[in-house]
Structures are given as structure tokens and as C-alpha cells.
């Protein structure tokens, strides 16, 4: 018995040892697989980041070529459709069904009994039928009354919308007539809109312009903001090092980065000229002068300053013979058109600008400038804390008679403020996004807002910004439950409802709100 017990113990220990070794083997295999998967993931992520860097640089190199394929801007793209959302009363469109006497006659068991019981059942059924018929008739009268009131409200809303659309389209017709007659202000507004709406520009690039039109010379003169040096990626590639389980970022050679940026500046200048001439459907331009600038801090003084990095005078006759898809941007700008290009734009080495908008005379229209006449005591919306700015927008909605609250900073689903408008027809739940930008809000933000409205099941979406919107954004929003509130309109609304706010410093030291118009 002792020998049998000892043998059983030995076999049990041997089985446990085999199981332990098998478990250790599986653990080692799992760790090897996990390490291999981790390494493959990190290597793939490094390759993805490197490919992204390559794609960014390729897009910068091909900016001019890709931009030349973009369609020319036309006033027809700004025309709004007169087709409105149809009248949809929903459940009110369905009449209240009237009861049938047959449905009440079969509800009582008295119909199968004697004549006395049957007469009693018939009286009870008729009484129930009469009561139901009266209730249904009253409900139907109430429905028709509500439907008529709803229709009146819709008709008023449709009339207002149609009047706004026709006023907008009439304004476009007036703009076209003014352009044909050589009106300077119309020319500046039209060509500024053409630059803002152009699909040739990546949405990450700035779009700030100040322009004036010389009617006698048929010349458009403008200052155009260029992208900063940081737009060229500092990194060239990303490599994963398994030995340290870390990524190694390989820097882009300084000479390569400088050359890329200088070429990009030249491409931007040529593309501006191309977009202006392509948009000249009314034939009002014989020449353009473009000064490309960047706004940044002067390293010598620490103050905000403007550096002109390139300038080009481009006559239509000289520009028409260029094949921009095949030129060297730097050579074309300097040698082909006689422009000036900074030797070291990465260090903000400035060139002497050409003719400036304020030298033309008449009026200068700026998009990206500050609002004149701002009160120094009012808060600068650009300098305001982001949360305080959202609270101010929510307060504005409350001052307009709505319920409004700001959302949590995380998990808000792209919503900064939620509002509830009690007004019929146009009221309901409103989702609000707030963009404290200096440059034009890209159309993608408007498309994202529309997606949020659909995801949240809201009645309307409002995009509030300190900057402006291009025609592309307005075109997308047309006919959709979206409202765009640019910076100038925001300031007006704040003042109308007893709130305070301005765009940029009161002394005009920095850029700010769009749509500034000042005497030249």
C-alpha cells in the first residue's frame, strides 16, 4: 500500500511538472507573439507617420500644379436656390378617424340575448358611439385649427426666407453690374471672395487679405498673408528602435527645409495671381500687384510686426503666356515676372514691397483686420479665455430669449453650447459650435457642424466665430438648418443685447475681425 501510494504521488508530481512546463511554454509563446505584435504595430505607426510627412511635403511641392486644376471662381456659385423646405405638418396632416357604429354594436354580448336585452345593448352602443363621435369631431376641429395656424406660420417663414434669398441674389446681380462699370469697392469685394472661396488653397493655409482697386489703371493691389515657416515639417522620417522601444525622429536637413519654404512662398504668390485672373469673368483687370507677408513677432523688438517676403507686379499680357504647371516657381516669380523674393524667408528677411493698397486711394477693404471704433474697456474676444468665450456666447443666446448652457469640455460631441429656442416653426433644439479664429473658418467646419446636427437630432446648428466665412461655407449652408455668425455680426449681436466684446486691440495694433472698411 505504501509503495502504491508513493507511485501515485510521483505520477501526480510528474503531471504537475509537465503542466507547469506547458504553461510556461505557452506564456513564453504569448509574450513572443505580443512582443512581435507590439513591434509590428510600432513599426507600422512609424511608417505611417513618415508617409504622412512625405505626403505633407508632396502637397507643398505641388501646390501650384494642383491649384491650377481648381475651377475658376464665378458669381454663379454664390447664387442661392429659391427652393425652400416644403411644408411638413407631420402628424397634423392626418385627419382624426371618425368612429363607426358597427364597432360599438359588436362590443356588447346583449345582441345575442332576447329582444329586451338587445334593445338595451343597442342604446348603450349608440351612446358610446355618440360620445366617441363627438370627441373625434372635436379633436378633428382642433387639428384643423392647429394645421391652419401652422400653415400661416410656415407661410410667413417661407416669405421671409424667399425674400432673403431674392435679396441676396439681387445683390449678386448688382455686384456684377458694379463690376462691369469698374466700381472699385465691388472689384475688391468680388476678388477677395474669389480668393476666399478658391478650392486651390489647402484649408490649413491662411487667407488674410487687404486690397484696393485702381479703376484708372485697371489694377488690383493687394497684401496677401503667406504661411509661416512652420508649415514645412521639421521632421523628415520616424524610425522605431526595438532595442529601446522608442521612436527616433530624423530631422529634415536645414538646407532642404529652407529651400522648400522659399519655393512654397513663390508658389503662393503665383497662385494668387492665377486665381485672380481666372476669376476675372468681367474683364476688369489689366494687372495685379501682390505683396506676400507674414505676421509674427519681431525678434529684435518682440513686438508684433509684418514682414513682406515677396512682391510681384503681374500684367495680364505677361502672365497669360506662362505655363504654370511646368515652371520653376522661384525662377518664374523673379525672372519671368520681375518680382522680388526674400533670400531667407525662413528668417523673415523682408523685401521692399511693391505698390501697397493704401497707396491706391479711395477705399481699402481688409478681411482679417480689426473693427474700427472699438471700446478699450470691452473685452478682446481674441484674447478671451476659451471657456469664458463659450460662456459669453451662451449668455448671448439667453439674452435673445432662449435657454442655453455650455457643454462639458470632454465628450461634448463637437457641441460647445446647447440652446433651446421656444419659437414655433423655427425654434427647437440648437447645437452651437464656437470657433475663436483669426483666419477664415474652413468649409470643413461647416460640414462637421451639419453632421453634428444630424447626429444629435437637433433642429438647427449655429457656428459662431471671431473670424469670417468664405463663399464656399455659405454655399454649403444654403438650404440646410445651419446659421453662420461671423465676427462682425457677433459683435453687433453682443451690443444689441447689452453685452460687450470687440475684435482685436482697440488701438488697431493687431489683426482681428473680417470685413473692415476704412478710408484709404
Amino acid at each position: 500500500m505504501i509503495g502504491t501510494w508513493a507511485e501515485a504521488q510521483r505520477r501526480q508530481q510528474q503531471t504537475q511538472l509537465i503542466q507547469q512546463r506547458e504553461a510556461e511554454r505557452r506564456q513564453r509563446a504569448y509574450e513572443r507573439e505580443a512582443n512581435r505584435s507590439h513591434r509590428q504595430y510600432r513599426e507600422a505607426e512609424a511608417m505611417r507617420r513618415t508617409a504622412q510627412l512625405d505626403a505633407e511635403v508632396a502637397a507643398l511641392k505641388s501646390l501650384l500644379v494642383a491649384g491650377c486644376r481648381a475651377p475658376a471662381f464665378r458669381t454663379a456659385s454664390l447664387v442661392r436656390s429659391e427652393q425652400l423646405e416644403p411644408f411638413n405638418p407631420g402628424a397634423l396632416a392626418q385627419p382624426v378617424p371618425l368612429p363607426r357604429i358597427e364597432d360599438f354594436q359588436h362590443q356588447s354580448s346583449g345582441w345575442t340575448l332576447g329582444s329586451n336585452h338587445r334593445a338595451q345593448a343597442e342604446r348603450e352602443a349608440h351612446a358610446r358611439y355618440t360620445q366617441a363621435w363627438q370627441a373625434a369631431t372635436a379633436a378633428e376641429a382642433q387639428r384643423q385649427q392647429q394645421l391652419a395656424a401652422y400653415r400661416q406660420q410656415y407661410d410667413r417663414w417661407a416669405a421671409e426666407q424667399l425674400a432673403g434669398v431674392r435679396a441676396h441674389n439681387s445683390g449678386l446681380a448688382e455686384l456684377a453690374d458694379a463690376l462691369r462699370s469698374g466700381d472699385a469697392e465691388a472689384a475688391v469685394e468680388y476678388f477677395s471672395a474669389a480668393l476666399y472661396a478658391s478650392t486651390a488653397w489647402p484649408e490649413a493655409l491662411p487667407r488674410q487679405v487687404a486690397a484696393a482697386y485702381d479703376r484708372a489703371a485697371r489694377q488690383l493691389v493687394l497684401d496677401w498673408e503667406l504661411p509661416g515657416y512652420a508649415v514645412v515639417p521639421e521632421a523628415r522620417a520616424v524610425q522605431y528602435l526595438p532595442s529601446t522601444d522608442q521612436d527616433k525622429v530624423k530631422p529634415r536637413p536645414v538646407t532642404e527645409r529652407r529651400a522648400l519654404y522659399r519655393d512654397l512662398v513663390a508658389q503662393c504668390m503665383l497662385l494668387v495671381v492665377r486665381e485672380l485672373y481666372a476669376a476675372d469673368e468681367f474683364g476688369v483687370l489689366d494687372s495685379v500687384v501682390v505683396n506676400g507677408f507674414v505676421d509674427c513677432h519681431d525678434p529684435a523688438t518682440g513686438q508684433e510686426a509684418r514682414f513682406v517676403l515677396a512682391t510681384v507686379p503681374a500684367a495680364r499680357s505677361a502672365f497669360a503666356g506662362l505655363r504654370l504647371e511646368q515652371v520653376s516657381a522661384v525662377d518664374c516669380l523673379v525672372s519671368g515676372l520681375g518680382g522680388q523674393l526674400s533670400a531667407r524667408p525662413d528668417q523673415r528677411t523682408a523685401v521692399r514691397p511693391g505698390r501697397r493698397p493704401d497707396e491706391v486711394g479711395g477705399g481699402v477693404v481688409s478681411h482679417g483686420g480689426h473693427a474700427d471704433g472699438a471700446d478699450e474697456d470691452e473685452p478682446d474676444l481674441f484674447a478671451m479665455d476659451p471657456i469664458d468665450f463659450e460662456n459669453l456666447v451662451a449668455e448671448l443666446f439667453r439674452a435673445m430669449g432662449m435657454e442655453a448652457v455650455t457643454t462639458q469640455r470632454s465628450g461634448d460631441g463637437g457641441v460647445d453650447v446647447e440652446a433651446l429656442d421656444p419659437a414655433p416653426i423655427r425654434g427647437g433644439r440648437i447645437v452651437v459650435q464656437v470657433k475663436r479664429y483669426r483666419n477664415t473658418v474652413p468649409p470643413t467646419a461647416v460640414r462637421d457642424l451639419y453632421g453634428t446636427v444630424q447626429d444629435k437630432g437637433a433642429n438647427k446648428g449655429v457656428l459662431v466665430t471671431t473670424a469670417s466665412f468664405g463663399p464656399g461655407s455659405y454655399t454649403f449652408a444654403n438650404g440646410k438648418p445651419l446659421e453662420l455668425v461671423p465676427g462682425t455680426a457677433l459683435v453687433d449681436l453682443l451690443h444689441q443685447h447689452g453685452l460687450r466684446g470687440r475684435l482685436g486691440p482697440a488701438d488697431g495694433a493687431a489683426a482681428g475681425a473680417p470685413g473692415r472698411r476704412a478710408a484709404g
Side-chain angles (χ1 to χ4, degrees):
M1 293 178 62
I2 293 176
T4 301
W5 177 81
E7 178 64 18
Q9 287 290 98
R10 186 187 67 79
R11 290 181 179 178
Q12 183 179 6
Q13 291 174 355
Q14 186 177 15
T15 301
Q16 292 176 346
L17 179 62
I18 292 174
Q19 292 175 345
Q20 180 181 356
R21 289 175 177 173
E22 179 63 20
E24 292 174 351
R25 186 192 66 79
R26 288 197 298 268
Q27 179 65 24
R28 289 193 298 270
Y30 171 78
E31 291 176 353
R32 286 195 300 270
E33 181 62 26
N35 290 334
R36 181 166 60 251
S37 298
H38 175 72
R39 177 174 178 173
Q40 291 175 347
Y41 169 77
R42 294 295 299 271
E43 289 176 344
E45 183 65 13
M47 293 177 62
R48 185 194 66 80
R49 292 173 60 188
T50 300
Q52 183 178 3
L53 292 170
D54 293 340
E56 291 177 7
V57 171
L60 297 179
K61 289 181 176 180
S62 62
L63 174 67
L64 181 59
V65 174
C68 289
R69 303 191 187 107
F73 175 78
R74 292 293 181 265
T75 53
S77 64
L78 300 179
V79 175
R80 297 180 182 176
S81 172
E82 293 189 4
Q83 183 176 359
L84 302 178
E85 182 179 352
F87 178 65
N88 182 17
L92 287 177
Q94 302 300 324
V96 176
L98 295 177
R100 299 185 310 161
I101 186 64
E102 295 83 1
D103 296 334
F104 293 86
Q105 290 174 342
H106 298 299
Q107 291 178 1
S108 175
S109 60
W111 292 94
T112 62
L113 301 177
S115 59
N116 292 335
H117 292 284
R118 179 177 299 179
Q120 178 66 23
E122 184 177 355
R123 287 193 296 270
E124 292 176 354
H126 190 272
R128 289 194 301 271
Y129 165 75
T130 301
Q131 184 179 7
W133 185 87
Q134 291 174 346
T137 302
E140 173 63 13
Q142 183 181 13
R143 181 195 72 86
Q144 292 181 5
Q145 184 179 5
Q146 292 176 343
L147 180 62
Y150 198 5
R151 181 72 203 198
Q152 290 177 356
Q153 293 173 349
Y154 171 83
D155 290 341
R156 287 195 297 268
W157 170 83
E160 293 175 0
Q161 295 295 312
L162 191 58
V165 169
R166 289 175 176 172
H168 170 82
N169 293 340
S170 176
L172 291 178
E174 293 175 0
L175 174 64
D177 292 340
L179 281 169
R180 293 187 184 95
S181 65
D183 182 78
E185 183 175 337
V188 171
E189 290 288 1
Y190 172 77
F191 288 109
S192 296
L195 291 176
Y196 274 100
S198 170
T199 58
W201 297 96
E203 294 175 351
L205 297 188
R207 304 193 187 193
Q208 182 182 169
V209 62
Y213 179 71
D214 187 336
R215 179 175 181 177
R218 294 169 53 86
Q219 183 181 72
L220 184 70
V221 181
L222 68 153
D223 291 347
W224 178 258
E225 185 178 10
L226 298 169
Y229 185 46
V231 73
V232 182
E234 186 176 359
R236 186 175 191 178
V238 179
Q239 180 183 8
Y240 173 63
L241 302 178
S243 59
T244 60
D245 192 27
Q246 292 180 341
D247 290 333
K248 178 182 178 182
V249 178
K250 297 182 179 180
R252 189 174 305 277
V254 176
T255 53
E256 177 188 347
R257 193 177 180 212
R258 289 172 177 170
L260 284 172
Y261 182 59
R262 190 165 187 260
D263 182 71
L264 176 64
V265 169
Q267 289 187 73
C268 289
M269 298 292 290
L270 295 176
L271 188 54
V272 169
V273 179
R274 184 265 177 191
E275 290 298 281
L276 293 174
Y277 280 133
D280 187 17
E281 60 180 309
F282 301 102
V284 300
L285 296 180
D286 286 343
S287 64
V288 298
V289 177
V290 181
N291 300 296
F293 69 89
V294 292
D295 283 337
C296 56
H297 290 92
D298 190 335
T301 64
Q303 300 293 324
E304 186 80 9
R306 176 163 294 186
F307 299 86
V308 176
L309 302 181
T311 183
V312 58
R316 180 188 287 273
S317 57
F319 195 80
L322 300 177
R323 301 182 65 180
L324 295 180
E325 299 89 343
Q326 300 179 2
V327 302
S328 163
V330 173
D331 293 339
C332 179
L333 180 71
V334 177
S335 302
L337 295 175
Q340 298 183 55
L341 177 63
S342 171
R344 291 295 301 274
D346 57 294
Q347 293 187 352
R348 299 182 292 279
T349 302
V351 300
R352 181 183 295 278
R355 191 181 189 188
R356 304 301 294 272
D358 55 6
E359 298 173 357
V360 174
V364 178
V365 176
S366 299
H367 295 268
H370 68 279
D372 295 327
D375 186 351
E376 294 183 3
D377 295 331
E378 288 192 297
D380 182 359
L381 300 183
F382 288 125
M384 184 177 289
D385 178 82
I387 296 179
D388 291 341
F389 184 54
E390 292 179 6
N391 290 331
L392 177 63
V393 172
E395 186 177 358
L396 172 61
F397 276 79
R398 289 191 290 269
M400 297 171 68
M402 308 180 202
E403 300 176 10
V405 294
T406 56
T407 61
Q408 298 294 326
R409 298 302 295 173
S410 60
D412 58 11
V415 179
D416 299 313
V417 177
E418 288 193 358
L420 182 63
D421 187 351
I425 302 295
R426 291 173 292 179
R429 185 186 177 197
I430 301 175
V431 293
V432 184
Q433 288 183 352
V434 177
K435 303 292 184 184
R436 198 159 54 92
Y437 288 178
R438 288 183 179 270
N439 295 321
T440 303
V441 177
T444 52
V446 185
R447 290 193 289 267
D448 291 342
L449 174 61
Y450 185 54
T452 301
V453 171
Q454 294 178 313
D455 292 341
K456 299 292 184 181
N459 298 79
K460 185 179 183 180
V462 180
L463 186 54
V464 180
T465 182
T466 51
S468 60
F469 299 96
S473 295
Y474 287 109
T475 300
F476 178 82
N478 184 35
K480 300 180 179 65
L482 301 176
E483 185 166 349
L484 309 182
V485 182
T488 50
L490 172 60
V491 171
D492 291 341
L493 287 172
L494 290 172
H495 292 169
Q496 289 174 16
H497 293 87
L499 300 175
R500 295 149 56 80
R502 56 183 169 84
L503 297 170
D507 58 3
R516 172 177 177 250
R517 184 173 287 107

